[in-house]
Amino acid sequence: VDYYIGNIDSKKHLNAFLEVYDHEARQKAVEVDQKVKNGTAGKLAGMVVALKDVFCHTDHGLQASSKILNTFESQFNGTAVQRLIDEDAIIIGRNNCDEFAMGSSNENSAFGPVLNEADNERVPGGSSGGSAVAVQADMCLVSLGSDTGGSVRQPAAFCGILGLKPTYSRISRHGLIAYGSSFDCIGIFSKNVEDMAITLEVIAGKDEFDSTVSTQPVEAYSKSKFDPSKKIKVAYIKETLEAEGISKEIRLKTQEALEKLKADGHTIEAVDFPLLDYLLPTYYILTTAEASSNLSRFDGVKYGFRSPNTSDLESMYKKTRTEGFGEEVKRRIMLGTFVLSASYYDAYYTKAQKVRRIIREHTKGILSNYDFIIMPTTPTTAFKLGEHSEDPLEMYLADLFTVQSSVSGLPAISVPNGTDSGGLPIGLQIMADDFQEDQLLAFSDYLI
Ligand code: GLN
């Protein structure tokens, strides 16, 4: 705990933490130490964990990096947080992120951007940028983020660490602030597979507080090993390597990783995915629709901030939301309200639901013939602060490769795949079929 707190203190300029629970963490460390001596310690005894600012944690501040939740404190532990605590993990603080998990650069936080430790002029990715940097810069061992369309995998790639988005419904969403409920997944950042596997093992599984969570038994992820003598079949999607805007160095590194697998005797084949152009529109139509509904609860009555300049109920709602939400969140609420409006519902929302099913079926079709799909995690390495913040469409392109598994509900991981010539980390994304986390993690371990 002292080691991590030392790093948090000396790397304050990275702005990865909104709050540090130093006193509490030290106390818990003493308790856990005693339990270890008594032989009663939990599975995660002493694991120092940080939480993205979207997890309910009893009597701790919770703001989704938004002004609208100013002064709000959570009254209960979400399921994942409770399970970490029950197994004696030590929670060290909460991390900065894009407001309500909307963004790809962590520049949409009400508390200022997070800086990438690899290059302080560059973004760490988003929306879970603070949680990625917390692991990157050794401010904790493991952190939890949320991944709706890439918010764990993309920052993991930008920061040179591992980031997992499990199958939708693998981990209970109880106590996770909702963005797009049919996409939202709790994800894990770490520097190795072992820490990730044991964390997933603890937090996954059925839960009476989330009616959508899977009851499928949780496997012993930390025990599964990849058998290198077993030859596997990997597909890569041709279009992802030919996509407009993909950096040459990322393309080369991805090809190198595929070549290496081939040299080791695995089958590597190119497949077509003609739906690439539909991924981002489908994702942004459906998630903004869900967000506009989920965020209607923040109205100045029930949570956090209320505008002081109001005269009646109507103006209280309006002013609270106008002053409390940031620009990107408002843009998405408006987009989502538009696609759900009576005259456009079928043209946009219903249509996108249909396209979503086609994307999932097509992706599952590929996975019925291959063990994994491999592609780059992102089209570029970490970009400069401010580089894309004027043009939302340009920013949305950062999610080009991560949204496929989110739209499909499938598990995917980003693992480090070297650096570009400027020393910036590159990520490799591996996607698997529903509930194949054990294979996905074991294979990742073999790969890195
Ligand atoms: N960057 C994507 C977005 O802005 C993904 C966010 C996320 O996964 N929470 O929606």
Side-chain angles (χ1 to χ4, degrees):
V1 168
D2 284 339
Y3 167 73
Y4 293 119
I5 288 178
N7 285 341
I8 294 174
D9 280 344
S10 65
K11 299 178 186 184
K12 274 212 171 83
H13 61 285
L14 299 177
N15 202 19
F17 278 80
L18 297 181
E19 213 181 329
V20 184
Y21 313 134
D22 42 355
H23 180 67
E24 199 182 318
R26 285 198 172 98
Q27 240 175 356
K28 172 90 183 197
V30 174
E31 259 170 57
V32 173
D33 197 39
Q34 198 52 50
K35 281 192 179 175
V36 172
K37 284 180 188 132
N38 300 342
T40 56
K43 261 187 174 176
L44 304 183
M47 179 189 268
V48 174
V49 181
L51 303 174
K52 180 179 184 178
D53 190 22
V54 290
F55 290 98
C56 293
H57 182 197
T58 313
D59 294 334
H60 290 77
L62 174 63
Q63 290 192 242
S65 289
S66 180
K67 183 179 166 190
I68 208 158
L69 281 172
N70 264 354
T71 72
F72 180 75
E73 282 194 355
S74 182
Q75 292 167 28
F76 65 97
N77 283 327
T79 300
V81 171
Q82 188 61 53
R83 289 181 183 174
L84 289 177
I85 295 172
D86 290 345
E87 292 298 338
D88 289 323
I90 300 173
I91 299 175
I92 198 147
R94 66 183 163 114
N95 294 127
N96 199 349
C97 59
D98 279 306
E99 186 179 2
F100 285 102
M102 297 174 186
S104 310
S105 67
N106 218 118
E107 292 168 295
N108 297 335
S109 165
F111 302 99
V114 176
L115 311 184
N116 192 323
E117 199 196 26
D119 176 344
N120 291 181
E121 285 175 13
R122 292 179 188 267
V123 304
S127 64
S128 314
S131 308
V133 171
V135 169
Q136 177 194 33
D138 282 327
M139 300 167 169
C140 60
L141 189 73
V142 162
S143 61
L144 294 192
S146 62
D147 189 314
T148 305
S151 277
V152 167
R153 289 160 287 153
Q154 186 252 19
F158 280 10
C159 295
I161 59 172
L162 284 86
L164 171 74
K165 179 200 97 72
T167 311
Y168 178 76
S169 83
R170 178 67 299 185
I171 303 174
S172 166
R173 289 178 294 113
H174 173 62
L176 169 71
I177 293 185
Y179 161 17
S181 310
S182 75
F183 294 75
D184 292 344
C185 294
I186 292 178
I188 304 168
F189 291 102
S190 68
K191 281 193 170 165
N192 62 49
V193 171
E194 202 183 344
D195 295 335
M196 179 173 274
I198 193 158
T199 307
L200 180 66
E201 209 173 291
V202 165
I203 64 179
K206 65 177 193 292
D207 176 29
E208 59 175 319
F209 295 115
D210 177 356
S211 61
T212 63
V213 79
S214 170
T215 52
Q216 183 135 331
V218 175
E219 281 156 282
Y221 306 115
S222 58
K223 305 247 157 35
S224 63
K225 277 266 162 302
F226 184 78
D227 172 6
S229 66
K230 185 182 139 200
K231 298 304 167 209
I232 55 156
K233 279 181 81 183
V234 171
Y236 70 92
I237 295 177
K238 266 206 309 264
E239 289 82 353
T240 59
L241 294 183
E242 289 158 6
E244 207 185 311
I246 179 171
S247 100
K248 212 168 126 206
E249 290 190 82
I250 293 189
R251 183 167 57 230
L252 285 176
K253 280 278 181 202
T254 309
Q255 280 163 339
E256 268 172 34
L258 293 167
E259 284 305 323
K260 188 171 175 301
L261 283 170
K262 206 175 196 171
D264 291 342
H266 304 292
T267 304
I268 310 294
E269 283 170 2
V271 294
D272 286 323
F273 187 72
L275 303 168
L276 197 71
D277 287 347
Y278 299 99
L279 292 173
L280 284 172
T282 305
Y283 171 79
Y284 276 97
I285 288 172
L286 294 175
T287 53
T288 53
E290 294 185 21
S292 75
S293 165
N294 276 326
L295 270 58
S296 63
R297 76 192 71 183
F298 303 108
D299 56 7
V301 178
K302 301 182 276 295
Y303 308 91
F305 171 76
R306 173 182 297 176
S307 169
N309 316 309
T310 63
S311 45
D312 55 19
L313 187 65
E314 182 83 15
S315 78
M316 195 273 288
Y317 287 153
K318 270 193 192 154
K319 290 203 166 133
T320 298
R321 289 170 67 84
T322 304
E323 293 163 24
F325 287 132
E327 202 180 325
E328 181 63 21
V329 173
K330 283 190 271 205
R331 178 181 297 121
R332 296 196 188 196
I333 292 173
M334 287 192 286
L335 255 172
T337 307
F338 174 76
V339 301
L340 289 176
S341 61
S343 15
Y344 294 101
Y345 190 91
D346 283 338
Y348 292 103
Y349 186 71
T350 310
K351 183 68 111 352
Q353 292 282 28
K354 291 179 184 164
V355 179
R356 181 179 199 181
R357 191 170 50 83
I358 294 170
I359 292 169
R360 173 167 160 87
E361 278 171 6
H362 198 104
T363 309
K364 295 257 316 167
I366 299 174
L367 287 165
S368 65
N369 291 318
Y370 295 90
D371 296 283
F372 304 107
I373 299 174
I374 287 188
M375 62 174 89
T377 310
T378 55
T380 68
T381 47
F383 42 88
K384 289 226 161 99
L385 287 151
E387 197 174 324
H388 298 313
S389 43
E390 294 310 312
D391 183 351
L393 284 181
E394 220 175 85
M395 187 72 89
Y396 298 170
L397 278 176
D399 309 326
L400 183 61
F401 301 142
T402 48
V403 291
Q404 182 176 358
S405 79
S406 306
V407 168
S408 310
L410 296 163
I413 189 169
S414 178
V415 299
N417 187 27
T419 57
D420 69 5
S421 47
L424 294 172
I426 292 176
L428 188 73
Q429 184 177 212
I430 313 158
M431 202 189 298
D433 209 346
D434 292 315
F435 300 106
Q436 302 288 303
E437 279 83 359
D438 55 338
Q439 278 97 315
L440 190 60
L441 289 169
F443 179 60
S444 302
D445 196 31
Y446 160 75
L447 208 61
I448 56 176

